[in-house]
Amino acid sequence: METPEATGLSRYIQRLLARARDFDDRHPALWDATLTLLWTVAALVDAAGGWRNTARDPSVPVWLVFTLSLALSVPLYWRRSRPMTALAVMACAALVSEGTGAFLQAGYLQMLPVFHIALTRPPRALLWAFALLLPPLVTGAIRFPQETWDQRVIPTLWGYALVALLGLVVRSRRDHTAGLVDRARRLEIERDQEVRLAAAAERTRIAREMHDIIGHNLSVITGLADGGRYAAAKSPERAAQALDAIGTTSRQALDDLRRLLGVLRDDEQEAVRDPQPTLADLDTLLTGVRKAGLPVQLDVRDEPTPQPLAPGAQLTVYRVIQEALTNTLKHAGPSASATVLLAWSPKELLVEVVDTGTNTTTTTAPPGQGQGLTGMRERAALYDGRLACGPLPDGGWRVRLRLPLEDSPS
């Protein structure tokens, strides 16, 4: 079990390493110069006399020893930017050191360029690196055969191999970490995009619902108000009926609007979720339109056993009929009438709303207009339906919806 002291020590070491990496990232040249200076000082200290403890020929000139020590340490400054070049220079110095019998300990500094070659270069570069490391070892073993090859050459090669393996492990870990960071970044971007798309879709849905609710009810109220104004002078009772209908329609519009806005509350548990309109509510819709002054006839052509529609598809049919009748109230004129057709077949439901008015509605609405037609097309597309609307040759306007009989939307 890990003790608290060990945990505190490991955290302290991790903080030191993190600071060192941060300093290296911000000042790489200064970091390389500092490490190179430290290794150069260590190599020169050994060249001051300690090299004779391992030398095979202690009579090697001192100036040559100092020169070789510098050649084995100064190239470390380029160990990260040009590791193969640094290793080539150090290998030449190591070849002279082994050939003259100096056997300088600074030769082991070649492990640092080997590590960076494994860390940053293609794996085949390690073959060239070992091709540079092998000649000095073979030269020393041949010229001074006091030690066997398994004592001098093989252990050193194993040391270089372990350093190269360490570089590959660090490289693999670094690449894996970079991959995880990149994946997390992409997932974050995708999450943000999904949130934005969901918000845009929700805004579109709310705008479509508000347009259908408010637009239809205001059109009905306008029709009732116009009728009540003309009836006030001749038939006060009809005017009172119109006012009652206006009040009923207004309250219904307020209830629908309150329900829709309740979904936008922060606390979703408090939002009121009344049932959405279905085909069973068509009679109520048509009654309200008739009260607004538009004669409407409903024609239902059922199959022997018509396939039931999903609630969402029924809402689509309801809203399309509602929007079509709303447009008729707005644009068809006072003498217009409308017919609503529901024709069931084994594969689809055909919905047609045809009016006999003098149309001024066009499919090319001015900017900011035409949300109703767009909303109908969006609802139809949601359930793989096809919507067509346009003027008739003999006058009037027709909206036709073909909705496949499927259990769920596409």
Side-chain angles (χ1 to χ4, degrees):
M1 183 176 180
E2 191 176 21
T3 62
E5 292 79 4
T7 303
L9 179 60
S10 63
R11 291 179 179 175
Y12 179 72
I13 294 175
Q14 290 176 1
R15 285 197 296 268
L16 288 180
L17 292 177
R19 291 177 181 177
R21 285 193 295 268
D22 182 65
F23 182 82
D24 184 18
D25 292 337
R26 290 185 288 109
H27 309 285
L30 181 59
W31 179 260
D32 290 341
T34 301
L35 290 183
T36 302
L37 180 61
L38 292 176
W39 287 117
T40 302
V41 170
L44 293 178
V45 169
D46 181 67
W51 66 276
R52 291 188 174 88
N53 296 326
T54 57
R56 294 295 177 265
D57 185 4
S59 63
V60 176
V62 176
W63 66 267
L64 181 58
V65 173
F66 272 88
T67 302
L68 294 176
S69 297
L70 292 175
L72 289 169
S73 56
V74 173
L76 291 177
Y77 181 81
W78 297 278
R79 72 190 186 281
R80 291 196 291 189
S81 59
R82 292 185 289 274
M84 285 299 298
T85 303
L87 181 62
V89 174
M90 297 173 70
C92 292
L95 180 62
V96 176
S97 174
E98 297 286 335
T100 58
F103 280 39
L104 297 178
Q105 299 298 306
Y108 291 110
L109 293 177
Q110 295 174 99
M111 292 183 177
L112 296 177
V114 171
F115 174 82
H116 285 281
I117 290 173
L119 185 65
T120 60
R121 296 300 185 267
R124 64 176 179 274
L126 289 173
L127 298 178
W128 293 102
F130 278 94
L132 292 173
L133 296 170
L134 190 58
L137 297 176
V138 174
T139 300
I142 293 175
R143 282 186 50 81
F144 303 95
Q146 289 87 344
E147 297 177 352
T148 59
W149 282 58
D150 58 346
Q151 293 176 328
R152 174 64 182 170
V153 178
I154 302 302
T156 306
L157 288 178
W158 270 113
Y160 290 132
L162 291 176
V163 170
L165 180 61
L166 177 62
L168 293 175
V169 170
V170 174
R171 177 178 186 171
S172 176
R173 177 181 174 84
R174 185 186 63 181
D175 293 343
H176 179 67
T177 302
L180 291 178
V181 172
D182 180 69
R183 183 169 180 267
R185 180 183 59 80
R186 287 188 284 106
L187 288 176
E188 184 177 359
I189 294 175
E190 292 175 1
R191 182 198 62 189
D192 294 340
Q193 290 176 345
E194 290 177 357
V195 170
R196 287 194 294 269
L197 291 176
E202 187 65 13
R203 286 195 299 269
T204 301
R205 186 188 69 82
I206 293 172
R208 187 168 56 231
E209 291 290 336
M210 293 186 68
H211 175 272
D212 292 342
I213 293 172
I214 298 176
H216 171 75
N217 286 288
L218 286 180
S219 296
V220 172
I221 291 172
T222 301
L224 290 171
D226 292 340
R229 183 181 62 183
Y230 289 113
K234 298 181 180 180
S235 178
E237 295 180 357
R238 295 291 300 274
Q241 293 176 359
L243 291 176
D244 290 339
I246 289 174
T248 301
T249 304
S250 300
R251 284 189 291 272
Q252 179 182 355
L254 287 175
D255 290 340
D256 291 341
L257 186 60
R258 187 180 298 111
R259 172 184 55 79
L260 181 61
L261 296 179
V263 180
L264 302 179
R265 295 177 181 173
D266 293 337
D267 189 357
E268 295 185 358
Q269 298 299 328
E270 297 180 0
V272 179
R273 284 172 169 74
D274 295 335
Q276 293 280 13
T278 62
L279 294 181
D281 299 307
L282 278 180
D283 289 337
T284 304
L285 172 66
L286 298 182
T287 300
V289 173
R290 293 187 184 107
K291 289 182 179 179
L294 176 65
V296 182
Q297 179 182 356
L298 177 62
D299 183 8
V300 180
R301 302 175 186 176
D302 289 341
E303 285 287 309
T305 55
Q307 181 178 346
L309 285 176
Q314 294 189 45
L315 176 62
T316 296
V317 174
Y318 181 92
R319 293 302 189 197
V320 168
I321 295 174
Q322 182 186 57
E323 179 61 26
L325 294 177
T326 301
N327 288 337
T328 300
L329 284 171
K330 290 179 179 178
H331 307 290
S335 61
S337 63
T339 301
V340 178
L341 170 66
L342 296 178
W344 298 83
S345 67
K347 294 184 178 180
E348 66 179 10
L349 169 63
L350 172 63
V351 181
E352 278 191 355
V353 181
V354 180
D355 65 58
T356 60
T358 56
N359 280 285
T360 59
T361 306
T362 63
T363 56
T364 57
Q369 305 296 326
Q371 292 91 340
L373 298 179
T374 302
M376 286 193 291
R377 291 192 178 95
E378 290 175 350
R379 291 182 183 277
L382 182 62
Y383 288 88
D384 290 337
R386 293 170 293 168
L387 182 78
C389 53
L392 296 174
D394 298 333
W397 190 270
R398 178 176 62 189
V399 175
R400 173 180 291 173
L401 170 66
R402 295 184 181 273
L403 198 66
L405 298 181
E406 297 180 350
D407 294 334
S408 59
S410 172

